[in-house]
Amino acid sequence: MVNFQQNKIHSKLLRRRLLCKSVSEFNVSTLGKINNRKSSEWNVSINDNLLFDFSGLQAIAESIRQYQGRATELRFKLALSTEAIRDYYSHSRYLDDDGNIKLPLIANLCQHVKINKAAQVETLTVKLPEIRTPIDYPVSLMPAAINSTPLALLMPYTCDHDLLFANQISLFSMLAKTVKKSAKAWIKTVFSRTPTAFRKRLPLKWNRIHPSANIHKTAVIEGSVIGPGCQIGALSVIRFSMLGSNVQLRDGAKIEFSIVDDNTWLMHDLVLVSSVTEQEVFLINGPYQFSIFQQASAAFATIMMDYRPDGKSHRINTPAGVKDYQGRLLGALLEENAKVLGGTLLAPSVTVPQDTHIAPEIDNIVTAKKLIKANVKADKSAR
């Protein structure tokens, strides 16, 4: 048997969120589910900066159970497809020259089973299941490609962009683990007439909706979690996403592959794709894609670029300096209480610092006074 423990959380993660929970709450809950009271042969110490979910720790436990060597200490590295490394780990300082991720956790053999074991260290390779999806992009954007998302979370935290990637992985990990156990979703899928493959229809037929949520009859909800007190307006679309408590979606808002945390407002006809909002975020207009909005941040009619037409790497600000990110699309990071006002254009992968307010140059803003002066001048010219 294997026992996992994490003695503390990295200070930078104390205010961050995973699937609408604090990282500390998420981790404690996960450890409570994976550990049991039976005698353990191995103790696994998790470093304070590792982001993980139940499926990720299961993969570690399984690699230990299959181990037949004589070492008393085990280290771990994560092996994923080239596409998964590109989109989720390519900026990480834990990425080695062989394309593997060094995981910050160590397994030690318990004292009572060390008899006839050599005191040596070995490194095990952990492989995670992935969901691979071909995407036929328009040639005007980029060549066709494969998207591959791990279905288990094991991600060393190096910067706040990792919370965007970790939330996306843990969302699909949760869906993969939960949907296949839903008898209701299976029945709906069997009797649906949609001309798509069964495995694609099944997750669309699954939802977890809190009874206190107020959802307009014209809203479309597929493969998503809707928390208590949410208000979902007419013609809204929520697909493969999670909403926390008291989220406000105004009429026509559309969300895909995203996490929307407690008390967030998404205004009319807004589009949010592959993004994460923490609590108390306000977004209007958009679209907003591949971006992360920390607590109490806001964007008003802002254009957030997520695509580099020159094909060069995105650049991410990290505590260790600027790092190259090889993924094809990456939007902005708005830190806590950052606000970006209407008419602003943000470059791909830019970070807006905490408490920063960004607006267009004042000379470019048309005020009533400027408009009156322009009209008076035009009137005089006409005479």
Side-chain angles (χ1 to χ4, degrees):
M1 302 300 294
V2 180
N3 180 71
F4 293 89
Q5 60 181 18
Q6 186 181 46
N7 294 326
K8 64 176 182 177
I9 303 288
H10 193 287
S11 60
K12 294 289 187 181
L13 291 174
L14 290 177
R15 292 180 61 82
R16 302 284 68 86
R17 311 275 287 182
L18 268 176
L19 295 188
C20 299
K21 294 181 179 179
S22 68
V23 171
S24 56
E25 181 184 1
F26 187 92
N27 288 5
V28 168
S29 175
T30 301
L31 291 171
K33 294 175 183 176
I34 196 81
N35 287 331
N36 57 57
R37 297 181 181 180
K38 295 181 180 179
S39 177
S40 298
E41 295 182 359
W42 292 88
N43 283 324
V44 181
S45 298
I46 303 173
N47 200 32
D48 63 352
N49 70 328
L50 183 66
L51 298 166
F52 56 86
D53 68 357
F54 183 86
S55 297
L57 295 189
Q58 271 190 323
I60 295 293
E62 185 59 28
S63 68
I64 294 174
R65 292 189 188 102
Q66 293 179 2
Y67 175 67
Q68 300 294 321
R70 295 172 55 82
T72 58
E73 180 176 304
L74 300 175
R75 308 278 175 110
F76 302 87
K77 61 182 179 180
L78 184 61
L80 294 168
S81 67
T82 301
E83 294 84 4
I85 291 292
R86 175 197 65 199
D87 289 337
Y88 296 101
Y89 294 90
S90 58
H91 65 292
S92 177
R93 64 184 176 89
Y94 288 84
L95 181 64
D96 65 22
D97 294 336
D98 295 325
N100 298 314
I101 302 295
K102 298 176 182 178
L103 294 174
L105 49 80
I106 298 174
N108 291 107
L109 194 63
C110 296
Q111 290 292 335
H112 66 277
V113 293
K114 281 189 176 180
I115 301 173
N116 298 324
K117 293 283 187 178
Q120 62 183 24
V121 179
E122 289 191 30
T123 298
L124 304 185
T125 298
V126 180
K127 295 184 178 181
L128 303 179
E130 301 178 26
I131 180 170
R132 295 175 63 82
T133 307
I135 303 178
D136 294 323
Y137 290 109
V139 293
S140 58
L141 180 64
M142 64 181 74
I146 296 290
N147 174 266
S148 192
T149 299
L151 295 179
L153 177 63
L154 290 169
M155 177 174 288
Y157 168 83
T158 57
C159 65
D160 281 354
H161 278 90
D162 289 322
L163 273 301
L164 172 64
F165 307 133
N167 269 284
Q168 290 175 340
I169 291 173
S170 55
L171 174 63
F172 279 92
S173 174
M174 181 273 294
L175 289 173
K177 186 176 180 62
T178 306
V179 170
K180 64 183 180 182
K181 297 180 180 179
S182 172
K184 187 176 181 180
W186 279 84
I187 292 170
K188 286 184 176 180
T189 305
V190 168
F191 289 99
S192 67
R193 296 174 182 247
T194 308
T196 54
F198 186 92
R199 66 180 183 83
K200 293 183 178 180
R201 300 202 311 270
L202 178 61
L204 292 171
K205 299 300 180 182
W206 177 88
N207 289 308
R208 182 188 296 159
I209 301 175
H210 195 276
S212 66
N214 183 9
I215 302 173
H216 194 277
K217 63 182 180 181
T218 62
V220 175
I221 303 175
E222 297 177 324
S224 296
V225 177
I226 309 297
C230 290
Q231 303 289 319
I232 312 300
L235 302 176
S236 295
V237 177
I238 306 169
R239 186 173 292 118
F240 298 132
S241 296
M242 173 179 283
L243 275 59
S245 302
N246 303 312
V247 173
Q248 303 281 325
L249 256 67
R250 298 307 189 192
D251 295 350
K254 296 175 177 61
I255 303 173
E256 288 188 328
F257 315 118
S258 296
I259 308 295
V260 182
D261 216 328
D262 303 347
N263 302 309
T264 288
W265 283 39
L266 303 181
M267 298 305 289
H268 303 79
D269 299 319
L270 180 140
V271 176
L272 187 74
V273 178
S274 298
S275 296
V276 174
T277 82
E278 294 184 350
Q279 316 99 303
E280 308 284 352
V281 168
F282 178 85
L283 301 178
I284 189 169
N285 297 109
Y288 302 113
Q289 302 179 141
F290 305 96
S291 297
I292 182 167
F293 304 86
Q294 292 184 355
Q295 184 173 351
S297 60
F300 304 81
T302 300
I303 298 177
M304 293 184 178
M305 301 295 293
D306 54 54
Y307 166 67
R308 290 197 60 156
D310 58 9
K312 294 183 179 179
S313 299
H314 293 274
R315 306 280 280 169
I316 295 179
N317 289 321
T318 78
V322 177
K323 300 292 184 182
D324 284 340
Y325 168 72
Q326 304 300 326
R328 299 144 298 175
L329 302 165
L330 187 63
L333 162 62
L334 270 61
E335 294 185 347
E336 291 192 36
N337 198 39
K339 292 177 173 56
V340 185
L341 305 182
T344 305
L345 176 65
L346 296 182
S349 67
V350 71
T351 296
V352 180
Q354 181 175 342
D355 298 320
T356 300
H357 294 181
I358 297 178
E361 291 288 343
I362 191 66
D363 291 341
N364 295 330
I365 298 177
V366 178
T367 63
K369 187 174 181 180
K370 288 182 179 180
L371 196 58
I372 291 171
K373 285 184 178 180
N375 289 338
V376 170
K377 184 176 181 181
D379 184 57
K380 287 182 179 179
S381 298
R383 292 178 185 177

